[in-house]
Amino acid sequence: LLKGANTESVDDMDALIDAVAYAKSLPEREQKILMLFCEGYTQAEIGRMFGYSQQRISQILANISNSGA
């Protein structure tokens, strides 16, 4: 179902499914920013791609994290 997912338990799998569902509910811009961050791009690199400062990307990622908690 989730190719490459590394989970230790059913609870881990449930959390991963919830995280994916939450990510899909985000606006397209936030999805792209989150995807790039998860792929290892720095906040500064992502900021340059979107025309934002590193600080703005940090705020966006913090908002994503706080909203999904």
Side-chain angles (χ1 to χ4, degrees), residues 22-39:
Y22 171 66
K24 285 183 173 186
S25 76
L26 294 170
E28 186 176 344
R29 178 191 70 161
E30 281 80 359
Q31 285 184 28
K32 289 179 180 178
I33 289 171
L34 181 58
M35 180 188 69
L36 291 167
F37 187 70
C38 290
E39 288 177 358

Side-chain angles (χ1 to χ4, degrees), residues 51-69:
Y52 297 145
S53 68
Q54 176 274 322
Q55 292 84 1
R56 181 64 185 128
I57 298 300
S58 179
Q59 291 171 340
I60 291 168
L61 290 169
N63 288 341
I64 291 170
S65 178
N66 291 336
S67 295

Side-chain angles (χ1 to χ4, degrees), residues 8-22:
E8 299 288 324
S9 70
V10 172
D11 289 339
D12 290 343
M13 183 61 79
D14 285 343
L16 180 59
I17 291 168
D18 290 345
V20 169
Y22 171 66

